[in-house]
Amino acid sequence: MLSSAAFIAFMGGVLPALLWLVFWLLEDRLHPEPKHYIIFCFIAGMITVPFAGYIERAVCSSLSGGVCSLPNVSFLVLVCWAATEELLKFFAAYFVALRTRVFDEPLDAVIYMVTAALGFSAAENMLFLYSCLNLNPGSGCLAPTILSQTIITGDLRFMGAMLLHTLSSATIGLCLALAYYHGARSRRLAALSGLILATALHTSFNFFILGSGSNATFWIFLIIWLGIIAILLGVERVKRAVPHYS
């Protein structure tokens, strides 16, 4: 029997991700991807979260002497954490779809990367909510004042993390899309460039959020939204290069 905490965590983690996924799928509505590949890619993104947690704890153990409390981690640890998550999301999309025949047009790279990212974000948010509602009942998460404060300031976890994961993975997908009609070497360089750029974006977000707190939240989120707008403009450029989107 599913507990109320588990149900709330599931709905709060998965529903926002699915709504955001629908928006991105509409970008490919003229030539939609097979639904089962989208589902598998989303689930694969979710499955990578425990692996990310294990690797990130190992990074703390080796680079910070086991000190993993935020915001006391070093910049190097933040880079390693960001690189770990970006690589795992990429591998989720790659092994499910990008190495198969369903990757048959440039825009697919963006769709599958975003799908894996949203699955990852959904699982992260589910674990966060479940921990708050069930594992730490003494923390006051369920108190109305604490809950409302979490909703107001929790965009760093929910909206912020989801937008960040979407932006960083979409960046990798766009790099792959722009290199789609080039040779294998160019596509590998595009994947590497996308991973480096996504890691830089991810690290910068974490660094400035931890260093500036809520004072810089507006500007950080503005930059993320501008980044997503830039990705959407890039998607339109990719569409113009494909005959059935013209």
Side-chain angles (χ1 to χ4, degrees), residues 143-162:
T145 55
I146 300 298
L147 186 59
S148 62
Q149 183 180 7
T150 300
I151 292 171
I152 294 170
T153 62
D155 53 4
L156 299 183
R157 162 64 62 178
F158 292 95
M159 183 185 294
M162 188 169 294

Side-chain angles (χ1 to χ4, degrees), residues 9-183:
F10 177 81
M11 298 299 287
V14 172
L15 277 183
L18 291 179
L19 291 173
W20 196 217
L21 178 59
V22 168
F23 169 82
W24 284 93
L25 292 179
L26 289 175
E27 291 293 316
D28 195 29
R29 59 185 175 274
L30 294 182
H31 192 194
E33 300 309 303
K35 289 183 176 60
H36 59 287
Y37 274 92
I38 294 294
I39 294 170
F40 291 157
C41 199
F42 188 89
I43 293 173
M46 297 180 74
I47 291 172
T48 60
V49 169
F51 294 98
Y54 175 81
I55 295 171
E56 288 168 1
R57 286 191 296 271
V59 167
C60 278
S61 179
S62 60
L63 297 181
S64 298
V67 178
C68 297
S69 60
L70 299 174
N72 299 318
V73 296
S74 67
F75 182 76
L76 179 58
V77 169
L78 292 179
V79 173
C80 291
W81 282 358
T84 296
E85 295 186 4
E86 296 310 323
L87 279 168
L88 287 173
K89 289 183 292 179
F90 172 75
F91 288 147
Y94 176 78
F95 285 109
V96 170
L98 298 182
R99 67 187 180 98
T100 72
R101 288 180 294 179
V102 297
F103 182 25
D104 56 2
E105 62 179 9
L107 189 58
D108 294 353
V110 178
I111 297 300
Y112 286 118
M113 284 301 308
V114 167
T115 301
L118 290 172
F120 187 98
S121 182
E124 266 195 337
N125 288 340
M126 283 171 55
L127 291 174
F128 173 78
L129 273 174
Y130 187 75
S131 176
C132 182
L133 295 171
N134 190 63
L135 299 182
N136 298 310
S139 64
C141 293
L142 294 175
T145 55
I146 300 298
L147 186 59
S148 62
Q149 183 180 7
T150 300
I151 292 171
I152 294 170
T153 62
D155 53 4
L156 299 183
R157 162 64 62 178
F158 292 95
M159 183 185 294
M162 188 169 294
L163 291 177
L164 172 66
H165 283 305
T166 301
L167 173 60
S168 57
S169 292
T171 299
I172 300 172
L174 186 59
C175 288
L176 291 171
L178 293 173
Y180 182 83
Y181 293 113
H182 298 275

